[in-house]
Amino acid sequence: MVLVRTTPPRPVEVTAVFPELAPLARPAIRLHPRPGAPSVGDSSVGGPLLWPAGEPWPHCEDAHLHGDSGFRQSPAEVRLDRRRMARSRKDPHAPSFGPEEEAAMEQAVARLAERMDAGPPRPAECPVPLLPVAQLYVRDVPLLRPPGEADLLQVLWCPYDHEPDWKPSTAVFWRSAASVVDVLATPPEPYEANYPGYVPQACLLAPEAITEYPNSLDLDPALRQAVGDWSRWQAAGADVDGSYADCPAEFYDGNLADAPGWKVGGWPPWGRTDPYRRYCAVCDARMVPLLTIASFEWDSGTRGWAPYEDRADAHASGRRAGHFPTQPTRVEVGSTDNMQLYVCPASPEHPHTDLIQ
């Protein structure tokens, strides 16, 4: 069964109202993660990685501030708790585990509890194994521009907050899938996570190509003023609810500019701060968005972006943490914000950077 998600047409053809926006159009691919059981051969969020058995698994060597959140659970415990809660609520969007998988998780939880009760070394004082965040094959996400012969992007993070920005530290790997002969069967996992939102739920993807336009904060002053001019919308005959008359830029940002949710490429979802340009530490080129890691696929202000296939749930569920399909990955960064990963357009092998928005 092929997972499909389809973004409805935008309520207004924005370039008909503002032809000046046409040169600013950018391609993006919405990933549309949904709970599933991906394999190493699938593009996924939170799924297993096609990782060579002979290559060391990445660990975080930084100092970790243990226990600040008051949360102490292993990733296995987080996943098991989610399954139990979803089953008790009869959540139709919840991931399904067979008896063997659930028993294996319970055994993993028991083993980790014994190890943690044994005393030092403390989990946060050890090199911490990174957790898989996303695996994207170029065949599924052709917007990716990998270096050399690579055709696979793998993103991992450390499930602890890191100073000074209080977010997980991320790692990016490009590789050729064909070069991986023997796959690492059982990657190591951290003893615990800083927050349950730092443990991505395994999801399959339904990549969809769309076109985006810049957030109003990314527009030059003249175009930003035009987008905020209600008379300009009226003169073009745009069918926009009159409730936006005092702030048409809000309609533009929520319905016509950049799409919410997990995506590759496109425009950044500003809002937490004004646009903050990122520059390559090696060549000083202005970096471009690679991946947006989203806490929510949409919220009350961006519900119009909900795919056709999720419309009923979108209007019934609203924006509630932990509820599918609004938050299928169970990831939560910042104050239910987005983490954007940026890469150098001159060379994807140059160090990436990230930013919470």
Side-chain angles (χ1 to χ4, degrees):
M1 178 179 174
V2 177
L3 181 63
V4 174
R5 289 295 182 272
T6 313
T7 301
R10 297 299 80 215
V12 170
E13 179 51 61
V14 70
T15 55
V17 183
F18 302 100
E20 310 97 308
L21 284 170
L24 302 178
R26 277 187 187 176
I29 294 184
R30 300 187 74 186
L31 298 179
H32 297 304
R34 296 297 181 269
S39 71
V40 296
D42 292 317
S43 291
S44 66
V45 165
L49 303 185
L50 186 76
W51 195 271
E55 183 177 326
W57 188 261
H59 287 63
C60 179
E61 303 281 348
D62 293 348
H64 298 92
L65 302 177
H66 173 69
D68 284 358
S69 67
F71 176 82
R72 281 198 74 194
Q73 277 191 317
S74 68
E77 287 176 292
V78 171
R79 298 183 191 109
L80 189 59
D81 280 355
R82 287 173 182 167
R83 172 56 186 154
R84 288 169 173 165
M85 184 176 296
R87 187 169 53 191
S88 69
R89 293 177 177 176
K90 298 181 179 180
D91 186 346
H93 303 288
S96 59
F97 301 127
E100 292 183 1
E101 292 174 294
E102 196 153 330
M105 283 195 293
E106 289 175 344
Q107 291 172 6
V109 168
R111 287 195 301 271
L112 285 162
E114 291 175 2
R115 195 183 308 169
M116 293 171 74
D117 289 341
R122 302 288 292 176
E125 295 168 358
C126 303
V128 174
L130 303 190
L131 277 175
V133 174
Q135 173 168 273
L136 304 176
Y137 285 87
V138 172
R139 66 167 190 260
D140 300 320
V141 189
L143 194 58
L144 294 170
R145 294 292 179 265
E149 299 300 315
D151 60 357
L152 178 61
L153 169 67
Q154 295 171 325
V155 178
L156 303 90
W157 68 19
C158 173
Y160 283 89
D161 280 327
H162 288 70
E163 295 184 288
D165 299 318
W166 300 99
K167 64 180 185 295
S169 64
T170 54
V172 169
F173 296 87
W174 299 95
R175 69 173 75 252
S176 166
S179 69
V180 183
V181 179
D182 297 318
V183 180
L184 182 64
T186 310
E189 283 205 327
Y191 284 81
E192 61 186 27
N194 227 151
Y195 298 98
Y198 291 172
V199 181
Q201 188 68 42
C203 288
L204 291 165
L205 307 180
E208 179 197 20
I210 63 166
T211 299
E212 290 192 344
Y213 296 93
N215 183 283
S216 62
L217 294 174
D218 252 327
L219 301 175
D220 65 53
L223 188 48
R224 188 184 312 161
Q225 183 176 6
V227 166
D229 182 353
W230 179 242
S231 64
R232 179 79 179 265
W233 295 85
Q234 289 180 303
D239 184 16
V240 181
D241 190 319
S243 64
Y244 288 100
D246 292 336
C247 190
E250 186 177 319
F251 173 80
Y252 168 79
D253 285 334
N255 296 278
L256 308 176
D258 52 287
W262 288 66
K263 66 183 180 182
V264 167
W267 283 91
W270 302 115
R272 179 66 60 184
T273 69
D274 287 344
Y276 185 62
R277 314 302 180 200
R278 314 295 279 172
Y279 294 91
C280 178
V282 175
C283 67
D284 207 35
R286 181 170 166 180
M287 304 182 86
V288 296
L290 171 66
L291 174 67
T292 298
I293 298 169
S295 295
F296 288 87
E297 286 297 285
W298 62 81
D299 61 17
S300 58
T302 57
R303 193 176 286 140
W305 288 94
Y308 279 126
E309 296 82 358
D310 296 321
R311 299 294 277 180
D313 285 313
H315 288 277
S317 66
R319 185 183 194 273
R320 289 194 287 115
H323 186 87
F324 295 102
T326 313
Q327 197 181 32
T329 66
R330 300 298 183 97
V331 165
E332 203 162 312
V333 291
S335 298
T336 64
D337 296 316
N338 303 291
M339 175 182 278
Q340 304 157 39
L341 270 56
Y342 290 82
V343 289
C344 174
S347 175
E349 293 177 302
H350 288 172
H352 77 289
T353 189
D354 53 52
L355 177 68
I356 292 282
Q357 269 295 306

